[in-house]
Amino acid sequence: QVQLVESGGGLVQAGDSLRLSCAASARTFSTYDMGWFRQAPGREREFVAAISWTGRRTYYADSVKGRFTISRDNAKNTVYLQMNSLKPEDTAVYYCASTSGGDYWKPGAYNYWGQGTQVTVSS
């Protein structure tokens, strides 16, 4: 069982930055690949970014590439999402999730999810 708790969301203006954090309870955190997804009202949950358990491989959705950076600190059981140059279309609830492997861009590949943190970007 892995418990994930996101934090760092908020209301910002377009062009601002935010850093989301996801703290994991599991001692085996360092063995999981981690992902960030987001869901806007009326839309399906979509992939944002993922990072391998070593941190050596990262993956991004085209919509955030060059603006968002995913990272992890296995000593702190935490994964981060640095979001720069935020746009109104980035407004959504952001979720972190853990997986033992699989298609990192698919929500179904992830076993455990956090409760989400709201990010709202005003124009």
Side-chain angles (χ1 to χ4, degrees):
Q1 185 77 14
V2 178
Q3 291 184 328
L4 303 171
V5 179
E6 302 95 337
S7 61
L11 172 63
V12 297
Q13 293 186 334
D16 286 350
S17 298
L18 276 176
R19 188 176 82 155
L20 305 183
S21 299
C22 173
S25 63
R27 295 179 182 178
T28 54
F29 170 79
S30 63
T31 67
Y32 290 97
D33 297 337
M34 299 295 295
W36 284 96
F37 288 77
R38 65 188 182 186
Q39 188 166 18
R43 301 188 65 175
E44 293 186 352
R45 191 167 297 190
E46 65 172 359
F47 169 74
V48 175
I51 188 167
S52 64
W53 64 275
T54 62
R56 293 174 185 167
R57 296 190 305 275
T58 57
Y59 309 93
Y60 297 93
D62 287 343
S63 59
V64 307
K65 201 171 293 183
R67 299 188 298 122
F68 290 11
T69 302
I70 189 172
S71 61
R72 67 189 296 161
D73 185 339
N74 286 343
K76 295 183 178 179
N77 281 10
T78 302
V79 63
Y80 305 97
L81 185 68
Q82 176 67 43
M83 305 187 295
N84 298 330
S85 302
L86 282 161
K87 304 175 181 179
E89 50 264 44
D90 295 318
T91 295
V93 177
Y94 282 71
Y95 300 89
C96 71
S98 64
T99 177
S100 299
D103 296 333
Y104 61 85
W105 64 92
K106 295 182 179 178
Y110 292 78
N111 309 106
Y112 299 101
W113 293 81
Q115 82 290 347
T117 186
Q118 177 71 47
V119 172
T120 303
V121 185
S122 64
S123 57

